[in-house]
Amino acid sequence: MAVAVVVTLDGEVHDPAVPLLHADELAAVRGDGAFETALVRGGSVCKLEAHLDRMAVSAASMDLAEPDRAAWRSAVEIGVGQWNSLSGGDAMLRLVYTRGRESGGGATAYLTIAPVPARSLTARRDGVSVITLDRGLPAQPAEPLPWLLSGAKTLSYAINMSALRYAETQGAQDVIFVSSDGFVLEGPRSTVIVDTGDALVTPFPEHGILHGTTQRALFEVATAEGIACRYEAVKPADLIAAQDVWMLASITLAARVHTLDGVARPAGPLAARLPELVDKAIAL
């Protein structure tokens, strides 16, 4: 999955084979920054404004300056134009906004575009095997402990990636985090959706999780098509009792959980329809 396009926020197109960051870049040495990933499909970016909204929330929680939306839109337009000259296929757009260099000099901001990872395409097609793991923190709003950056999409992904590597050692491809007080939270890079039979349910964002852009888009479309959608507290037993469980993300889109903690799960009644609803939702 080689990066094909690199554009800095000033609109300059860079050679993706040439290093861009300095050795003291705080994104690299501290993970001090925010990012967003969005799908490029049909020559445009899916839900760009929703991703810019969420980047602004992440930046505010990290005491970064308000992202320059006009500059980001312009850089994205340039980057997508570059991608469209290379390929007409789906791609992964990543927006990166960091505190900059340890030695000073202002923020670092750039975007990359690369082909959709093979793992995402496989998860879309085949679903995923998932294990539940204790996140080690209670489900609680971010406000009392703002320094934990709950609900922000930061570059500090070491725990998330460690959890995914651990899952691989257990023969699984993904993880659903559970709070220390027994509530379902989210995946390392996805939102959990539960088909209870009477509604599509996702955990409260107030439980200190990232509010998914794809989940919100799905809920809008599903509600319009007569499917009840709601936020509520979800427990591991609810996953077992559910008609289906899904992992939603901007690049993978919808991956059905076909195995949970080693137990195979049959496809539910929305198994074919839900991915179609997600495709429709991100196109709006």
Side-chain angles (χ1 to χ4, degrees):
M1 191 197 69
V3 170
V5 177
V6 178
V7 181
T8 43
L9 197 59
D10 58 6
E12 182 179 353
V13 178
H14 296 258
D15 182 346
V18 175
L20 180 68
L21 301 179
H22 291 88
D24 67 343
E25 166 59 51
L26 287 166
V29 299
R30 302 287 188 190
D32 193 0
F35 80 104
E36 287 288 325
T37 54
L39 186 69
V40 179
R41 172 170 283 182
S44 62
V45 181
C46 300
K47 298 297 178 184
L48 176 60
E49 294 305 315
H51 286 286
L52 291 176
D53 286 344
R54 194 167 66 179
M55 177 178 273
V57 172
S58 296
S61 70
M62 301 180 72
D63 299 319
L64 291 168
E66 173 80 13
D68 185 336
R69 287 173 179 258
W72 277 111
R73 292 188 193 103
S74 178
V76 167
E77 183 178 1
I78 293 168
V80 171
Q82 291 285 313
W83 171 257
N84 290 342
S85 71
L86 300 172
S87 171
D90 283 3
M92 180 178 71
L93 167 70
R94 180 180 283 124
L95 312 178
V96 181
Y97 180 35
T98 88
R99 207 171 302 279
R101 299 180 63 182
E102 198 163 27
S103 55
T108 299
Y110 63 95
L111 65 85
T112 64
I113 304 180
V116 171
R119 61 167 175 78
S120 294
L121 299 175
T122 301
R124 285 184 201 170
R125 184 190 66 228
D126 300 338
V128 288
S129 173
V130 173
I131 59 172
T132 54
L133 292 181
D134 188 345
R135 186 64 189 267
L137 293 170
Q140 61 183 7
E143 288 81 1
L145 303 172
W147 54 88
L148 294 182
L149 300 178
S150 298
K153 193 171 179 69
T154 78
L155 292 167
S156 303
Y157 255 48
I159 291 174
N160 291 14
M161 303 316 294
S162 177
L164 290 168
R165 289 192 300 272
Y166 178 79
E168 289 181 2
T169 69
Q170 305 303 303
Q173 293 130 350
D174 213 335
V175 167
I176 292 176
F177 285 124
V178 177
S179 68
S180 59
D181 49 354
F183 294 98
V184 171
L185 299 174
E186 60 190 339
R189 51 193 173 203
S190 57
T191 305
V192 178
I193 301 291
V194 179
D195 177 5
T196 65
D198 68 335
L200 295 177
V201 171
T202 196
F204 290 120
E206 292 79 10
H207 279 183
I209 64 179
L210 189 68
H211 201 174
T213 57
T214 307
Q215 169 264 310
R216 281 180 278 178
L218 169 65
F219 273 23
E220 289 179 9
V221 167
T223 299
E225 297 201 8
I227 299 173
C229 298
R230 61 178 182 259
Y231 297 86
E232 67 181 34
V234 178
K235 294 204 168 185
D238 299 321
L239 302 178
I240 297 170
Q243 291 194 347
D244 236 334
V245 179
W246 297 82
M247 310 291 278
L248 262 60
S250 297
I251 306 303
T252 299
L253 300 180
R256 193 182 76 82
V257 177
H258 62 66
T259 305
L260 178 66
D261 288 329
V263 179
R265 298 182 51 84
L270 291 180
R273 189 179 178 194
L274 191 136
E276 295 173 355
L277 290 171
V278 171
D279 281 341
K280 181 177 180 179
I282 65 169
L284 296 177

